[in-house]
Amino acid sequence: GAVVSQHPSWVICKSGTSVKIECRSLDFQATTMFWYRQFPKQSLMLMATSNEGSKATYEQGVEKDKFLINHASLTLSTLTVTSAHPEDSSFYICSASGSVHEQFFGPGTRLTVL
Amino acid sequence: AQTVTQSQPEMSVQEAETVTLSCTYDTSESDYYLFWYKQPPSRQMILVIRQEAYKQQNATENRFSVNFQKAAKSFSLKISDSQLGDAAMYFCAYRTRTYNTDKLIFGTGTRLQVFP
């Protein structure tokens, strides 16, 4: 149980385009979802926390207009990287928590912006 | 604010031997959770072990055990009978129980290499 999926697992896009990453909790209701960014050989950096049906809470230094987060249902959250640039290239990980208050992590999405 | 420190960027161990990864944290709270996560080359985060601060007994999961020293704010992970599959990044993490949030605070990680 407690499986979280992410789609796509990897994506390559041109500079200036927008990319959407989906995060789904497959077998539980996720009241809260978290989005992280991870640079090579570094720790996970929390970008934002989203609760179902409400606006996401962004961490200090994270551009809200650049990284749009939508948590429309108890099983789906999306991260849209708008007008992506090469510096946005990174590994993005989502996690979800529900009634047991434990974070379950997705497998991550590698974004490469050319 | 809470902080988590992992002072060992890299560690290595021989197969079948025992290794201990260090983690210290800083908090003014009395009730919280501590976790160790493993991130193998696939980059999938896997929960290794969890400790609730109010429990004095150290958590154990098969070959993995912790040494939780609340007064010293130390939370080390011991891996016994190390296996090649234990090679990964290991992250220590803190979560409050005082506030209504599941937010995790991660350390910088320790890369564990296992030699045959």
Side-chain angles (χ1 to χ4, degrees), chain B residues 87-108:
Chain B
M89 281 291 290
Y90 286 82
F91 293 101
C92 179
Y94 172 101
R95 199 191 100 200
T96 181
R97 282 190 70 171
T98 305
Y99 301 101
N100 185 25
T101 175
D102 297 331
K103 184 175 172 180
L104 290 169
I105 299 170
F106 284 96
T108 51

Side-chain angles (χ1 to χ4, degrees), chain B residues 23-41:
Chain B
C23 173
T24 58
Y25 59 95
D26 190 25
T27 184
S28 58
E29 299 172 347
S30 60
D31 199 10
Y32 46 87
Y33 293 103
L34 294 166
F35 304 85
W36 277 99
Y37 284 91
K38 170 184 178 181
Q39 188 180 42

Side-chain angles (χ1 to χ4, degrees), chain A residues 84-103:
Chain A
H85 288 96
E87 56 265 31
D88 298 324
S89 298
S90 192
F91 193 70
Y92 293 88
I93 302 174
C94 76
S95 69
S97 68
S99 59
V100 296
H101 297 289
E102 179 176 324
Q103 286 193 34

